Amino acid sequence: NAQLDSALQESYQELKKRAEDLRASRERIVAAGDAERRKLERNLHDGAQQHLVALAVKVKLVKNLIEADTHTAKAMLEELGGDVQEAVQQLRDLAHGIYPPILVDRGLGPALESAVMKAALPTTVVADGVQRHRQEIEAAVYFCVLEALQNAGKHAGEGASAVVSLKEEPGALLFEVADDGAGFDVKAKALGAGFTNMSDRVGSIGGTLDVWSELGKGTKISGRIPL
Ligand SMILES: Nc1ncnc2c1ncn2[C@@H]1O[C@H](COP(=O)(O)OP(=O)(O)O)[C@@H](O)[C@H]1O
Ligand SMILES: [Mg+2]
């Protein structure tokens, strides 16, 4: 009976800990959402919004000039055209950073192929037979892979390269980011905000994340998303 008691006590403690982890993870997800919105607001304010305000002023000037000084007005219109292009480009870049259109249009494989072209270390993508999935799933995998690649770029060291693999098996989507760089001591190192974000993202869709690394042998981040 005492044994049963202590077993019960143990599962109770375990449940309590999981409930607490879950609450903390929800809180982080909400805070991260708010921080993203603030960043967006700043980017829009300092970028496209400034451009458009300046444009509005120039349009007024041209309107006043158009009869008195057609020549200058024409030159200003020319300039306005360029300004509009610039504002459009800025909005486009911003939209890409928020959510890459290629992920929505063509799915994980092509989106990652396109992302690794900008990676800080040489990276290959292997993603054969990966189907389209719900947007939360595709976004979680995409942003986790990007974070893992950013880490590899920052911490794997000179001369390292990386491989991103995606594959599907019945009931699960698997992803892995492996590099052959410096590695780190997983037990000794307190995992930072990047890893916390990755596990929150993967956890929010019921998946699991694994980190394997050994000094001098590289790092492997793998995730499993139930389908
Ligand atoms: N691919 C990697 N190679 C070597 N070390 C890594 C790698 N990925 C993560 N690390 C180590 O794990 C730590 C925690 O990573 P992370 O949570 O993303 O935080 P950050 O990237 O902001 O330092 C890093 O500071 C680094 O020491
Ligand atoms: Mg990081």
Side-chain angles (χ1 to χ4, degrees):
N1 224 348
Q3 231 172 356
L4 185 66
D5 261 5
S6 94
L8 270 176
Q9 188 62 27
E10 225 168 82
S11 6
Y12 172 68
Q13 291 303 340
E14 175 64 28
L15 265 180
K16 222 168 101 174
K17 173 156 190 324
R18 283 213 210 148
E20 173 54 28
D21 285 353
L22 196 60
R23 198 199 50 73
S25 150
R26 283 205 181 128
E27 207 167 88
R28 284 194 302 267
I29 288 169
V30 172
D34 287 347
E36 268 313 294
R37 275 192 282 278
R38 277 197 298 276
K39 195 170 107 195
L40 262 180
E41 194 273 337
R42 261 199 317 273
N43 282 344
L44 276 170
H45 176 272
D46 299 346
Q49 197 174 322
Q50 300 294 333
H51 262 103
L52 292 174
V53 168
L55 271 174
V57 173
K58 280 193 193 166
V59 168
K60 242 190 210 145
L61 282 175
V62 176
K63 190 177 157 207
N64 292 337
L65 270 178
I66 209 145
E67 269 162 18
D69 186 352
T70 323
H71 187 73
T72 312
K74 264 192 183 155
M76 279 189 85
L77 274 175
E78 203 68 47
E79 211 181 291
L80 271 173
D83 291 351
V84 171
Q85 285 301 322
E86 213 169 298
V88 168
Q89 187 57 43
Q90 228 169 35
L91 278 172
R92 194 176 282 148
D93 290 347
L94 185 65
H96 268 259
I98 298 166
Y99 206 92
I102 188 173
L103 184 57
V104 188
D105 296 342
R106 299 183 48 216
L108 275 167
L112 287 170
E113 290 283 359
S114 145
V116 303
M117 293 196 285
K118 285 174 261 160
L121 74 176
T123 305
T124 25
V125 178
V126 183
D128 295 328
V130 171
Q131 312 282 313
R132 298 301 310 264
H133 297 286
R134 278 187 291 124
Q135 197 183 306
E136 301 101 90
I137 292 182
E138 293 189 330
V141 172
Y142 179 83
F143 288 109
C144 276
V145 168
L146 247 52
E147 169 64 30
L149 280 177
Q150 244 169 47
N151 279 347
K154 268 199 295 191
H155 308 294
E158 202 70 20
S161 60
V163 178
V164 175
S165 349
L166 297 182
K167 72 177 179 222
E168 267 178 54
E169 54 179 49
L173 173 65
L174 311 176
F175 69 90
E176 185 184 277
V177 180
D179 71 63
D180 54 2
F184 68 106
D185 185 347
V186 181
K187 290 219 178 67
K189 188 109 199 161
L191 298 181
F195 277 117
T196 308
N197 275 340
M198 286 196 258
S199 12
D200 283 352
R201 263 195 191 276
V202 167
S204 75
I205 49 171
T208 50
L209 189 79
D210 265 316
V211 180
W212 177 93
S213 189
E214 231 172 82
L215 282 172
K217 294 201 175 157
T219 301
K220 213 177 261 181
I221 310 298
S222 44
R224 180 188 191 84
I225 316 291
L227 294 174

